[in-house]
Amino acid sequence: MIRVDGPSISNSLIQVRGLNKTYTRGGEQIQVLQGLNLDVDKGDFVAFMGPSGSGKTTLLNLLGGLDVPSAGSVTVDGDEITHMSGSKLTHWRARHVGFIFQMYNLIPVLTAYQNVELPLLLTKLSSSERRKHVETALGVVSLSDRMHHYPRQLSGGQEQRVTIARAIVSDPTFLLCDEPTGDLDRKSAGEIMGLIEELVSKYGKTVLMVTHDPLIAARAHTTLHLDKGVLVEAHKLEQGALAGGVA
Amino acid sequence: MKFRSLIFANLFRKKFRLILTVGSFAIALVLFTFLGVVKSAFNRGVEVAGADRLIVVDRVGLMQLMPVSYGDKIRAIPGVKYVTHDHWFGGVYQDEKNFFPQFVIDVENHRQVYPEFIVPDEQWNNFVKDRQGCIAGRRLAERFHWKVGDRIPLKTTIYGAANWEFNLDGIYHTDKEGGDEGQFWLQWKYFDETVPSVIKSTAGWYILKLDSPDDAVRVAKAIDEKFANSSDETKTETESAFAAGFAKQFGNIEFLIMTIGGVVFFTLLLVTGNTMAISVRERTNELAVLKAIGLTDRTVLFLVLAESLVISFIGGVLGLFLAWGAIPAVSAALTGLLPPLLLSKTMLTLGLLFALFIGAASGLLPGIGAMRMRVVNAMRRV
Amino acid sequence: MAIPIIYNVRSVRARWTSAIVAVVGIAGTVGVFVAMLSLARGFRATLVSSGSEDNALIVRGGATSEITSGIGLDSVKIIQDAPGIARGTGGPLVTAEAVLMAPIPLISTGTDANVELRGVAPNVLEIRKQVKIVQGRMFIPGLTEVVVGKNANTTYSGLTLNNTIWLGTMQWKVVGIFDAGGSSFDSEVWGDSRLLTEAYKRPDTFFQSVTVHLTSPQALTQLKDSLTTDPRLNVDVTREIEYYAKQSTRMTTLITRLGGFVAFVMAIGAVFGALNTMYSAVADRGREIATMRALGFGGPSVVFSFLLEALLISFIGGVLGCLAVLRLNGITTSTINFQTFSNLAFAFKVTPDLLGWGVVFALVMGILGGMSPAIRAASLPVASALREL
């Protein structure tokens, strides 16, 4: 279940309490997140929406251990990552997080197979064990026949599927998606979302997704809006808008 | 010029890369300058040779001695203004490593033939009067901290093992660029008294000064003809030809220098050309916008060229400055092995021109690319 | 835990135009470095191999080279009877030699070089055992015949078999070419000392040096003590091999210092070139690097990966530089030896250890050029780099 009011004790998979993030830009302090709370359970699929500059990407970075908050805590599966040291955080990230980016972020000089294999190189698996995982992951995204192609030989949709395969190959605790369909045409976008939904429904993955497209957001279980540095549930936002006349 | 701010803003965009490119430039120029200076040092003899001087040696070889009576006969030849003679002394001052050239000179005529070596009259007169006197060049005196009045001991073995001692009566200097201030002179009269009889009344080689450089060929021929079929036939050539003969024996060293110069040149072109190309590629969008706004193709070319010229100018000046500082140190390390390394104004100017040429050349290709680029294509390229 | 090397290999290949700058810079520097050192080595080797362990060279006391030395016949007679000298069929193995210089044109430029002439004893080949006649024959004592070293044959004009040349006041026939094992003797012309001195109007009772064959290398001390304590003599006795080694010091120092400075400056330039290449690599691949770090490859892995890439590039440069210089090996050149004032032909001597040092030098430049870009790659702000357009 997804909650944003954050009871002090919960045993959700991902717990965020009082998350603050302040940036200094051009001499000014900008507080992007202001005491944000969040609970996400295993198997949840949540979309984050909000105007640009609202801090969606910042939130994602903090959840993925790519950034450190100014205050507050992020706990995943019992591990409090906020105070982890650099290398420990790196290890944690490798084990627990799968990233799916808007710009695919594939290594152009490596084949699809080698790109998907990358996260596994951080483990102690042998070459044949790795092969099994990679082939499975590529099978899930239906790209087995293009294993040895280079990114430039794949279409946009296919590249994104490789990214997804890479994100799931090490069986991470949860997946973080940043505008996963942002660069794709309508048809490919639909295919990608279908794939992500399948990851949740069929494989029980936990997915947190940032998007600006309401149609995409609608495919998730819940949509949360980032408003004034905290998360607000969709219907509450409507109420607030009706009440305050803010669009 | 109104684009100055744009040019400089572009340059400083990636400060680090700018520093590296300017640095590579500077280094290449230090090298180019150094090689030029070394080449000049190898050829120093030729460079400072007097256009109006001839050298006469024994045809059989440099080691052979000629009768000192030849001097008058040479003087009699029309076109010859002054004649003097030298011997190579070949002594050792304390240690072999302290090598410097020592010449036995004929005091009556030496000054007239070598007017570029200047000795204060008082010192020269003392020297003439002092059989055991000697004169040292300014640089030589500085090297060993000699002062007028010092007693200089030399050991020779060519003329029988002997210990000689001389009184330093004077110090000569020269205002001629590259002139040799490292020589040591002693008197022929004293030399002639002291050496074994086989060597008495001889000259190692003759140096003569012509009335006019145009007479060189004619006079040389006349001298050699005069002594043909005598017991000591001669070989006469201009001082620069004589020096060139020595320089040529270093033969392939110059070839090596040219090759290195070529490698440097090529690499430098690659480096800056590559950097310019990269930065043009990066700014495709902006250049397209500039064109869309209304800047002409030619102006864009001018912008790119201007940037690379600024880089090459700054790099060039920096390099020359570094060379100016480093070369004296290297010259000191090579004392006694090579003539001093001199950085002339010509060399500095040449270096800077070279730098600017490279700058223009390496900005040209990317510049033309930028000039030709169609706005539409550029905007589409991400 | 490491980023696969194939990533670096392929990345270098994909960006080869940029890598070429660094490769050429390093190749050039290594080439110059190895070439200069092999020039100095070749020069020194030529001189060192001129001497042998069981020969001793005797010159006048204080003389720094043969040219400036003088030993009279009466001294030679005393030396001949000294202890420690080996004996051959004809008597003590002693060659009293007159050393002269003759101007002979260089084949390459047509201008004169000071070629060393050596008037030798007829049994000189028994004393200098490393010298062998390879064409023609040895000269006959009493005849105006000379034999020339193999380098002299190819460097100076007119020194070909059966040709006649003027030396001093006489005409001489070239009757043989000898191989002296790549030593300075290979640049010399040898003839009967009595006749050569006459051709140069010198007394035939006056020599520049005496070379003797010792009974054993250890016999040097005995010989030296005997000769230096003899009041009738004023001589220096040196093992031949040490004498020649000393003759090379000035030239070797000059070449080494000149070459050293050039290589040093070029190295700085090459490091700049490498830095340039590596920095733009890091800049261009910002997103890839950030992705890998996001995936979990830590700072050290990234540093190591880029350092490896720099080393890969510099290794290629080093090998290319060495290969280019390898072609110089054995090529002869000639120069004046300052210490003897005579011309000496010698060859570039490229040895395996010099090549090894060249590659090491390249790798060092690679590290210097790759270190800070590598560290920069590891400290790029991941989050923003992930999304840069």
Side-chain angles (χ1 to χ4, degrees):
Chain A
M1 211 244 311
I2 298 162
R3 301 184 59 164
V4 297
D5 50 15
S8 27
I9 302 168
S10 91
N11 41 19
S12 357
L13 184 65
I14 303 175
Q15 291 175 45
V16 180
R17 295 284 178 272
L19 205 59
N20 266 346
K21 183 66 185 179
T22 310
Y23 286 117
T24 316
R25 203 156 281 170
E28 273 185 50
Q29 304 271 52
I30 303 170
Q31 196 170 19
V32 178
L33 300 178
Q34 310 187 21
L36 185 146
N37 297 314
L38 177 66
D39 282 84
V40 177
D41 280 330
K42 187 163 169 10
D44 279 343
F45 183 2
V46 56
F48 299 106
M49 288 193 65
S52 70
S54 56
K56 322 191 283 293
T57 306
T58 308
L59 175 59
L60 222 64
N61 287 343
L62 290 167
L63 290 174
L66 287 175
D67 199 358
V68 183
S70 316
S73 69
V74 176
T75 313
V76 176
D77 204 5
D79 297 319
E80 220 241 86
I81 67 169
T82 344
H83 296 293
M84 271 190 191
S85 69
S87 57
K88 238 186 137 200
L89 192 57
T90 307
H91 284 218
W92 173 86
R93 196 164 59 232
R95 175 69 199 86
H96 291 276
V97 187
F99 287 97
I100 298 169
F101 299 102
Q102 174 182 4
M103 303 289 287
Y104 326 141
N105 289 12
L106 295 176
I107 313 283
V109 298
L110 298 177
T111 62
Y113 180 100
Q114 288 165 329
N115 267 291
V116 174
E117 195 191 16
L118 264 182
L120 296 180
L121 295 175
L122 295 161
T123 65
K124 295 201 180 18
L125 295 174
S126 72
S127 161
S128 45
E129 285 170 335
R130 293 201 297 267
R131 188 194 341 249
K132 259 194 294 196
H133 287 254
V134 172
E135 287 174 356
T136 309
L138 283 167
V140 168
V141 304
S142 314
L143 270 183
S144 308
D145 54 336
R146 294 228 192 266
M147 258 193 270
H148 301 296
H149 286 212
Y150 288 94
R152 63 175 180 278
Q153 297 167 307
L154 302 171
S155 72
Q158 289 167 332
E159 280 191 75
Q160 193 60 304
R161 281 196 262 162
V162 174
T163 313
I164 294 176
R166 182 180 69 191
I168 60 172
V169 76
S170 54
D171 198 21
T173 309
F174 63 107
L175 299 174
L176 287 177
C177 312
D178 190 356
E179 308 275 10
T181 59
D183 242 28
L184 300 170
D185 59 274
R186 185 71 54 84
K187 179 164 177 290
S188 307
E191 286 171 5
I192 294 297
M193 287 317 298
L195 188 45
I196 295 182
E197 283 171 328
E198 196 180 299
L199 290 176
V200 177
S201 56
K202 189 167 163 196
Y203 297 95
K205 296 285 174 202
T206 313
V207 176
L208 285 74
M209 178 176 72
V210 158
T211 181
H212 66 279
D213 187 341
L215 289 175
I216 299 295
R219 313 275 290 244
H221 296 168
T222 316
T223 303
L224 296 175
H225 288 261
L226 249 178
D227 190 28
K228 298 194 194 63
V230 290
L231 288 169
V232 181
E233 280 170 68
H235 56 275
K236 294 230 179 73
L237 186 67
E238 278 171 29
Q239 288 172 353
L242 286 171
V246 178
Chain B
M1 130 211 8
K2 51 185 192 258
F3 292 118
R4 196 175 353 149
S5 47
L6 184 58
I7 294 172
F8 276 98
N10 279 332
L11 281 178
F12 285 101
R13 176 189 300 262
K14 286 231 166 98
K15 277 199 219 93
F16 218 84
R17 192 160 65 200
L18 176 68
I19 293 177
L20 286 182
T21 316
V22 168
S24 316
F25 233 109
I27 290 293
L29 229 71
V30 168
L31 201 58
F32 174 80
T33 316
F34 178 69
L35 292 175
V37 157
V38 168
K39 183 177 197 292
S40 157
F42 274 120
N43 290 308
R44 185 60 46 75
V46 180
E47 285 172 9
V48 300
D52 56 354
R53 282 200 288 255
L54 296 181
I55 310 271
V56 185
V57 297
D58 193 310
R59 181 162 289 273
V60 157
L62 277 176
M63 302 287 314
Q64 292 302 103
L65 305 174
M66 294 171 282
V68 77
S69 56
Y70 277 23
D72 287 329
K73 299 199 182 114
I74 294 173
R75 195 172 295 117
I77 292 182
V80 175
K81 201 159 176 194
Y82 301 111
V83 181
T84 187
H85 55 82
D86 278 1
H87 271 275
W88 177 264
F89 194 60
V92 173
Y93 175 65
Q94 295 171 347
D95 187 297
E96 227 191 301
K97 287 201 200 75
N98 295 335
F99 169 80
F100 54 88
Q102 302 133 31
F103 299 108
V104 181
I105 66 170
D106 150 43
V107 294
E108 273 135 40
N109 297 296
H110 190 262
R111 260 178 146 190
Q112 287 91 313
V113 177
Y114 284 110
E116 67 261 38
F117 293 135
I118 303 166
V119 186
D121 285 333
E122 197 194 317
Q123 291 181 356
W124 181 260
N125 292 334
N126 286 342
F127 170 58
V128 172
K129 282 186 267 177
D130 180 4
R131 265 168 60 255
Q132 288 190 2
C134 67
I135 294 194
R138 176 167 52 182
R139 199 177 37 87
L140 177 62
E142 276 168 14
R143 181 176 164 199
F144 296 113
H145 310 293
W146 291 339
K147 294 180 315 299
V148 171
D150 283 352
R151 203 143 161 87
I152 318 281
L154 290 176
K155 267 202 179 73
T156 59
T157 48
I158 313 184
Y159 312 105
N163 291 313
W164 306 65
E165 283 196 347
F166 301 96
N167 308 312
L168 187 60
D169 288 325
I171 295 184
Y172 80 82
H173 72 276
T174 176
D175 294 326
K176 191 173 187 180
E177 199 176 340
D180 187 2
E181 285 181 353
Q183 296 178 17
F184 184 92
W185 306 334
L186 55 122
Q187 287 226 38
W188 187 84
K189 284 202 209 89
Y190 181 42
F191 174 79
D192 196 56
E193 281 168 21
T194 323
V195 290
S197 49
V198 207
I199 306 185
K200 284 197 207 287
S201 302
T202 59
W205 63 92
Y206 289 94
I207 313 106
L208 58 100
K209 195 173 165 92
L210 298 163
D211 285 321
S212 148
D214 300 328
D215 293 333
V217 178
R218 179 183 60 77
V219 172
K221 205 151 168 262
I223 294 176
D224 290 342
E225 268 169 16
K226 183 153 199 127
F227 298 109
N229 303 319
S230 71
S231 57
D232 285 277
E233 296 191 345
T234 58
K235 181 166 150 222
T236 311
E237 50 186 354
T238 59
E239 199 181 19
S240 54
F242 182 72
F246 272 99
K248 288 237 171 68
Q249 291 193 65
F250 285 113
N252 298 348
I253 306 263
E254 259 194 58
F255 175 68
L256 223 94
I257 293 181
M258 292 290 99
T259 317
I260 298 176
V263 167
V264 171
F265 187 94
F266 181 60
T267 312
L268 186 61
L269 211 58
L270 259 183
V271 168
T272 23
N274 189 54
T275 314
M276 287 307 302
I278 291 178
S279 78
V280 169
R281 232 187 306 138
E282 281 174 4
R283 288 159 26 214
T284 309
N285 272 0
E286 283 169 42
L287 289 169
V289 169
L290 287 178
K291 282 199 185 180
I293 292 178
L295 252 63
T296 63
D297 290 346
R298 266 234 298 264
T299 316
V300 171
L301 171 65
F302 162 75
L303 277 176
V304 174
L305 265 177
E307 270 184 47
S308 59
L309 279 173
V310 169
I311 293 178
S312 59
F313 182 75
I314 296 177
V317 169
L318 182 63
L320 292 175
F321 183 71
L322 287 173
W324 182 70
I327 281 174
V330 181
S331 186
L334 297 173
T335 314
L337 297 168
L338 266 191
L341 303 179
L342 300 172
L343 197 54
S344 66
K345 283 192 202 64
T346 329
M347 188 101 32
L348 288 170
T349 320
L350 206 68
L352 198 58
L353 284 176
F354 172 67
L356 290 173
F357 170 69
I358 304 281
S362 55
L364 205 59
L365 217 61
I368 292 180
M371 177 177 82
R372 292 228 189 104
M373 183 178 53
R374 310 275 320 282
V375 179
V376 181
N377 290 340
M379 296 297 245
R380 206 186 299 148
R381 227 205 282 182
V382 168
Chain C
M1 272 297 183
I3 298 174
I5 299 179
I6 195 83
Y7 166 63
N8 302 107
V9 174
R10 298 234 191 100
S11 298
V12 171
R13 195 145 41 111
R15 312 182 75 248
W16 64 273
T17 43
S18 166
I20 273 195
V21 169
V23 169
V24 169
I26 291 179
T29 306
V30 169
V32 167
F33 173 73
V34 176
M36 286 293 186
L37 285 182
S38 39
L39 200 63
R41 281 257 175 119
F43 188 80
R44 193 182 156 79
T46 300
L47 281 165
V48 168
S49 65
S50 306
S52 83
E53 265 231 301
D54 41 14
N55 281 356
L57 189 76
I58 299 156
V59 293
R60 172 185 278 152
T64 50
S65 70
E66 283 176 292
I67 294 259
T68 57
S69 153
I71 300 183
L73 187 57
D74 39 353
S75 300
V76 175
K77 294 214 168 87
I78 298 170
I79 291 169
Q80 271 179 322
D81 295 329
I85 298 181
R87 301 187 83 84
T89 44
L93 291 176
V94 169
T95 165
E97 300 182 335
V99 179
L100 305 142
M101 270 197 318
I104 302 181
L106 285 167
I107 294 178
S108 55
T109 63
T111 53
D112 286 344
N114 300 332
V115 179
E116 194 148 289
L117 297 181
R118 192 176 289 270
V120 299
N123 62 345
V124 65
L125 292 179
E126 287 181 71
I127 295 151
R128 297 217 170 86
K129 293 200 199 299
Q130 79 270 40
V131 179
K132 308 250 183 314
I133 304 277
V134 290
Q135 273 187 59
R137 57 169 174 81
M138 183 58 168
F139 64 81
I140 297 171
L143 295 184
T144 53
E145 298 178 338
V146 288
V147 289
V148 303
K150 64 174 197 267
N151 281 340
N153 167 249
T154 52
T155 311
Y156 313 119
S157 74
L159 299 182
T160 45
L161 208 50
N162 297 322
N163 200 25
T164 314
I165 51 168
W166 276 98
L167 292 173
T169 52
M170 299 179 186
Q171 279 201 311
W172 301 73
K173 183 152 179 237
V174 179
V175 297
I177 300 177
F178 63 82
D179 182 334
S183 66
S184 62
F185 298 128
D186 277 319
S187 305
E188 292 182 356
V189 174
W190 291 1
D192 183 331
S193 71
R194 217 165 300 160
L195 287 174
L196 262 178
T197 45
E198 198 185 310
Y200 282 86
K201 293 179 291 182
R202 293 191 184 202
D204 65 355
T205 52
F206 200 68
F207 305 95
Q208 267 61 57
S209 68
V210 179
T211 302
V212 308
H213 189 66
L214 300 166
T215 48
S216 76
Q218 292 75 18
L220 179 68
T221 337
Q222 195 186 17
L223 176 67
K224 193 166 175 175
D225 287 340
S226 159
L227 294 178
T228 47
T229 52
D230 192 323
R232 302 169 289 173
L233 298 172
N234 172 23
V235 292
D236 284 341
V237 183
T238 327
R239 198 181 299 278
E240 200 184 21
I241 207 171
E242 280 165 28
Y243 171 80
Y244 282 108
K246 266 189 25 196
Q247 295 284 295
S248 72
T249 37
R250 280 181 69 198
M251 201 61 188
T252 319
T253 311
L254 173 66
I255 297 176
T256 314
R257 286 195 186 167
L258 266 183
F261 182 71
V262 171
F264 171 68
V265 172
M266 284 189 79
I268 298 181
V271 169
F272 274 13
L275 276 171
N276 216 356
T277 300
M278 292 312 297
Y279 265 114
S280 55
V282 169
D284 277 2
R285 281 142 67 180
R287 194 130 49 84
E288 287 169 38
I289 301 169
T291 303
M292 286 192 283
R293 286 175 62 201
L295 287 179
F297 290 93
S301 303
V302 174
V303 171
F304 187 68
S305 173
F306 273 86
L307 216 53
L308 209 66
E309 197 164 315
L311 285 174
L312 182 66
I313 293 176
S314 58
F315 180 73
I316 294 174
V319 168
L320 283 178
C322 286
L323 282 177
V325 177
L326 207 52
R327 313 182 77 231
L328 285 177
N329 192 25
I331 292 186
T332 45
T333 181
S334 68
T335 186
I336 296 188
N337 181 0
F338 291 149
Q339 274 164 292
T340 61
F341 230 66
S342 53
N343 202 283
L344 182 66
F346 62 103
F348 277 91
K349 192 175 157 113
V350 184
T351 53
D353 69 309
L354 272 186
L355 293 173
W357 279 114
V359 173
V360 169
F361 187 32
L363 292 176
V364 168
M365 285 190 276
I367 293 185
L368 289 174
M371 202 49 170
S372 28
I375 293 180
R376 177 167 240 242
S379 26
L380 279 177
V382 179
S384 51
L386 278 175
R387 293 171 188 87
E388 74 171 20
L389 282 160

